[in-house]
Amino acid sequence: MYYYSTNGQSPKLDFRDATILGQAPDKGLYFPETIPQLDKDFFTRIAAYSREEIGMRVMAPYTGTTLPEDVLLGIVSETLDFPLPVVPVHDRISALELYHGPTLAFKDIGARFMSRCLGHFVKDRRGKVVVLVATSGDTGGAVANGFYQVPGVEVVILYPSGRVSAVQEQQLTTLGGNIRALEVTGTFDDCQQMVKTAFADTALTDRLFLTSANSINIARWLPQQLYYFLAWQQWQHKDNPPVISVPSGNFGNICAGMLAHLSGLPVTHFIAACNANDVVPRFMQKGQYEVQPAIATLSNAMDVGNPSNFIRILEMTGHDTGTLAAMMSSVSVSDTDTLSAITKVYAGEQYLLDPHGAVAYLALQDYLRQHTGTEGLFLATAHPVKFNTTVAEATGMTVPVPDAVKAIMAMPKQSTVIAPDYEALRAVLAD
Ligand SMILES: *Cc1c(COP(=O)(O)O)cnc(C)c1O
């Protein structure tokens, strides 16, 4: 399998090289040359397969000859070694809970898969690979955890001081070892700018092998398909495939689900549920794609003004708005409605939503009301405890802290405070 750049100006690469590079040199995103087709039988008999078998079926065509079968099997089983349950919430709505991993967010799945792939690919290199990443909160923890103790890889994470939650900061700063946390006395945008400058600094990249672990990397994007297949395995009414609602920011998650569907996975319709950052909902309505500065909301992991993976969605629907609209709708949900959904669903069903899941829940409920006979799933992407303040405000109750989080909260924070300018970062990297 080869991957081409969506900008069409860079050479095609295999899974290994596209993973190591991350983004194509022409600034496009890598996209598979063909979409593998899984046979009908696989979907009707899916209950008989183990998670590992499903993982292998789905991922092997993408990794091709770059990963031996036993290596891929090891990576798949480590990626999926926590529960990913479909939980009924009421009548026609279930939650696919993706937050039972080590950092309590769905990003654990992509980060675990990618870290192990990269670890394998750089095993025989002399010298270390440095993974450089800026985070506004969730990505950093998942990346730190995923890459922790992966041989040959050093991780440097930049985060804005005082602007991530207490749990998130602990997840970033307490591991030590090959994980280095830089606490930048500026904003997330400063962090991102510093990272971009580092990648463009050829004097640095000549000496240091730098790569990124953001969500456009195919090794983070493609394995996100897996839980859509595992949801289908658990889906009760195989004669009535689910409408799937995905809380969306950078659109990597929903785009993976749509790719799974194009491989044959039965899905009735996709909903891209957004917060006030409504570039895509407006595009679907008016046909114009207008980038906007990100607006801060309660579902902050979705505060994205220019979703980087949307280009992949256009690519897989042949840049045809009719094809896209038949497969996916997109709506914007306000903070007020998000809060009241958390309140209502807790009062009515004793089910706790986090703000991201709540956005997807509301969008799904609305769609199902307008389409009789349909049933749906929404993706619960973060554990409610990660957004304790909001959840307490909406429900009047404090989420019990899981043991894993208690342990992290008690560990000493290790971070290096640096100024929000590139020279400060360069000094650390040169060291
Ligand atoms: C990152 C994130 C999202 C958005 O996912 P995308 O793939 O960027 O659309 C949604 N919810 C949570 C909790 C996240 O951390």
Side-chain angles (χ1 to χ4, degrees):
M1 170 76 80
Y2 281 86
Y3 296 83
Y4 64 88
S5 165
T6 51
N7 281 350
Q9 303 297 314
S10 298
K12 290 172 188 170
L13 298 179
D14 67 8
F15 181 80
R16 176 185 187 277
D17 292 340
T19 294
I20 293 175
L21 219 54
Q23 187 160 22
D26 63 7
K27 307 286 178 226
L29 269 57
Y30 286 112
F31 196 87
E33 216 171 15
T34 55
I35 297 178
Q37 296 301 303
L38 296 157
D39 49 86
K40 276 224 169 66
D41 205 43
F42 172 66
F43 294 105
T44 41
R45 297 188 349 97
I46 197 159
Y49 291 88
S50 70
R51 285 176 157 210
E52 282 77 13
E53 283 167 336
I54 294 173
M56 292 299 284
R57 278 281 188 118
V58 175
M59 293 309 297
Y62 286 103
T63 55
T65 53
T66 67
L67 291 174
E69 200 179 317
D70 60 323
V71 174
L72 179 60
L73 181 61
I75 293 174
V76 163
S77 55
E78 282 178 39
T79 299
L80 300 177
D81 78 345
F82 49 83
L84 294 156
V86 171
V87 178
V89 174
H90 58 71
D91 268 5
R92 293 158 68 196
I93 296 189
S94 301
L96 171 59
E97 293 183 351
L98 303 175
Y99 56 70
H100 299 286
T103 71
L104 310 180
F106 86 100
K107 290 191 174 71
D108 279 329
I109 292 134
R112 281 161 92 81
F113 191 90
M114 180 189 166
S115 60
R116 283 147 180 85
C117 289
L118 197 63
H120 178 79
F121 294 146
V122 304
K123 212 172 42 178
D124 304 321
R125 281 177 49 88
R126 280 185 296 120
K128 299 215 176 237
V129 170
V130 177
V131 171
L132 187 62
V133 64
T135 184
S136 58
D138 269 350
T139 299
V143 167
N145 195 285
F147 281 94
Y148 182 52
Q149 291 182 333
V150 171
V153 181
E154 294 279 341
V155 178
V156 178
I157 300 170
L158 284 74
Y159 73 97
S161 182
R163 291 173 197 243
V164 301
S165 78
V167 175
Q168 287 171 333
E169 184 166 36
Q170 289 296 104
Q171 287 174 336
L172 287 175
T173 57
T174 57
L175 289 172
N178 63 330
I179 312 296
R180 176 109 189 242
L182 301 181
E183 181 174 351
V184 177
T185 55
T187 63
F188 170 61
D189 287 337
D190 292 329
C191 298
Q192 214 162 18
Q193 194 51 50
M194 290 159 77
V195 166
K196 276 194 187 149
T197 310
F199 280 108
D201 179 354
T202 46
L204 179 77
T205 55
D206 281 349
R207 286 190 300 122
L208 206 64
F209 193 99
L210 273 190
T211 189
S212 109
N214 60 24
S215 66
I216 62 178
N217 194 300
I218 54 165
R220 258 190 76 182
W221 172 48
L222 296 170
Q224 298 180 115
Q225 293 178 92
L226 294 174
Y227 42 75
Y228 290 90
F229 289 89
L230 298 178
W232 175 245
Q233 190 183 33
Q234 298 169 71
W235 188 248
Q236 297 295 322
H237 303 129
K238 296 279 197 279
D239 54 341
N240 190 10
V243 174
I244 301 184
S245 178
V246 186
S248 297
N250 249 327
F251 280 65
N253 195 359
I254 189 163
C255 174
M258 292 169 80
L259 187 66
H261 178 52
L262 293 175
S263 285
L265 182 74
V267 176
T268 293
H269 192 66
F270 286 95
I271 304 166
C274 301
N275 57 29
N277 294 277
D278 62 352
V279 182
V280 175
R282 291 216 275 160
F283 170 77
M284 301 292 287
Q285 231 171 35
K286 303 196 302 189
Q288 258 165 15
Y289 189 86
E290 293 164 352
V291 172
Q292 283 170 357
I295 302 164
T297 73
L298 294 175
S299 46
N300 59 18
M302 290 149 58
D303 295 349
V304 179
N306 183 14
S308 42
N309 279 288
F310 193 60
I311 181 69
R312 284 184 169 136
I313 292 185
L314 295 178
E315 195 73 16
M316 67 177 74
T317 50
H319 296 260
D320 180 74
T321 41
T323 310
L324 173 57
M327 203 164 151
M328 184 193 101
S329 312
S330 189
V331 295
S332 164
V333 171
S334 70
D335 273 356
T336 315
D337 290 347
T338 304
L339 266 183
S340 79
I342 300 175
T343 308
K344 275 192 204 142
V345 174
Y346 185 63
E349 326 293 336
Q350 286 75 55
Y351 188 85
L352 265 183
L353 293 166
D354 96 289
H356 304 77
V359 167
Y361 168 88
L362 270 184
L364 178 61
Q365 190 183 46
D366 196 43
Y367 185 92
L368 296 186
R369 271 199 198 123
Q370 295 171 41
H371 296 80
T372 44
T374 51
E375 289 180 44
L377 275 178
F378 66 95
L379 272 50
T381 45
H383 195 299
V385 77
K386 283 192 115 168
F387 301 90
N388 238 332
T389 320
T390 303
V391 173
E393 185 185 335
T395 63
M397 87 135 210
T398 315
V399 189
V401 178
D403 289 345
V405 174
K406 273 190 203 146
I408 280 182
M409 295 314 283
M411 282 161 72
K413 165 178 155 183
Q414 310 170 47
S415 70
T416 308
V417 179
I418 66 168
D421 65 59
Y422 176 61
E423 281 312 306
L425 174 61
R426 201 178 60 88
V428 172
L429 292 175
D431 185 12

